[in-house]
Amino acid sequence: MTRPVVSIIVPVYNAAAYVAECLQSLIAQTYSALEIIVVDDGSTDDSYAICQSLCNTSDRVRLYHQANAGVSAARNTGIDKSTGDYIMFVDADDALRDATTVETLLQAYTSQHDVLIYKKYHAHCTDTRKTVAYPVRKIAWRLVMRETLNAPWNKVYRAEIIKQYSVDFPVGVKIGEDLMFNIAYFRHVQTVAMIDYGGYVYREDNIYSATKNLSATVGRDLARARKKLLCWAMQQRSLSLGIAYGYIALKNARVTILQWWRKTKHTGDSA
């Protein structure tokens, strides 16, 4: 029986300190039907050379290079180049837990599931590896409130849904782009599976992470994300999702005020 192909997309930009560890964790995966798509987004350090070296060690790695256009554009390139039945995203400064991570996730994924959500790895947590499926209408509000939709790296997506409905990452958006991608995807989802398994090793100490460097367009970007969330709530005719929208709007207001305060303080300090 032919195994479904999993495409893992890795956007890379100036990640020379981390990318080797990341790619080695992917190359080590025991799941055989795997393609690793690495997109170098115009790195100015040794990232591309490191990726090239590792690419030569495994025929499962495909490396692409493009002029710098941002992480969204790099992920979109990866989607365009992918040939898999399922798509995963791994950031260049992160890694998968161990060599059996993809195998574990695919064993939990059934034909009734439209997306599988897994967890961040914590050394002192015990996984049950139990999988529970929910209708999207019943779980959507919780995914928003718990900010589970704020990242693409903790999910296994169906490539068919992404490509059939032209789901992509909005280019030029500095914050909220992952949420926008997920909302666009989840609008076409019927069943969500969640597995109690911490399979993603998330690096907390990367000072260049986008989540730690808010842009000047933060207010505009968050407003775009909220608009997509509101449209989804209206599509679902879900009061609970509408309440979740209100919660996110309040959190966004806090971020916008913080950005304004930082800008004002910086201007005052420079005067």
Side-chain angles (χ1 to χ4, degrees), residues 97-143:
R97 173 176 173 173
D98 57 38
T100 64
T101 295
V102 175
E103 192 86 46
T104 300
L105 296 174
L106 265 289
Q107 286 174 359
Y109 215 135
T110 75
S111 59
Q112 285 74 44
H113 303 151
D114 295 317
V115 63
L116 176 69
I117 300 175
Y118 63 112
K119 297 162 63 176
K120 186 192 305 184
Y121 172 70
H122 294 284
H124 303 295
C125 291
T126 303
D127 300 322
T128 66
R129 304 200 178 193
K130 179 181 178 182
T131 304
V132 181
Y134 304 90
V136 70
R137 285 181 59 85
K138 291 187 176 181
I139 195 71
W141 69 273
R142 195 201 317 176
L143 298 178

Side-chain angles (χ1 to χ4, degrees), residues 205-266:
D205 60 347
N206 182 5
I207 62 173
Y208 300 106
S209 170
T211 58
K212 297 178 182 177
N213 294 278
L214 297 179
S215 73
T217 62
V218 60
R220 181 202 67 188
D221 293 345
L222 292 176
R224 286 182 61 183
R226 287 197 307 275
K227 183 177 180 180
K228 289 186 178 293
L229 179 56
L230 181 59
C231 289
W232 186 30
M234 294 173 67
Q235 177 204 37
Q236 293 287 323
R237 297 183 179 179
S238 170
L239 176 60
S240 57
L241 194 53
I243 293 171
Y245 163 82
Y247 167 77
I248 293 299
L250 288 173
K251 288 203 69 174
N252 286 178
R254 177 181 175 275
V255 173
T256 304
I257 291 170
L258 179 62
Q259 178 75 355
W260 171 83
W261 179 81
R262 286 178 175 172
K263 182 179 181 180
T264 302
K265 185 174 185 297
H266 176 74

Side-chain angles (χ1 to χ4, degrees), residues 120-182:
K120 186 192 305 184
Y121 172 70
H122 294 284
H124 303 295
C125 291
T126 303
D127 300 322
T128 66
R129 304 200 178 193
K130 179 181 178 182
T131 304
V132 181
Y134 304 90
V136 70
R137 285 181 59 85
K138 291 187 176 181
I139 195 71
W141 69 273
R142 195 201 317 176
L143 298 178
V144 173
M145 296 284 281
R146 295 185 177 180
E147 301 185 9
T148 308
L149 292 188
N150 286 12
W153 48 256
N154 60 343
K155 299 171 184 69
V156 184
Y157 302 89
R158 284 195 181 277
E160 180 183 12
I161 293 177
I162 290 177
K163 296 186 177 183
Q164 179 180 348
Y165 296 103
S166 300
V167 178
D168 61 6
F169 291 87
V171 176
V173 175
K174 301 298 184 183
I175 186 170
E177 72 279 12
D178 297 342
L179 176 60
M180 293 184 208
F181 174 87
N182 280 321

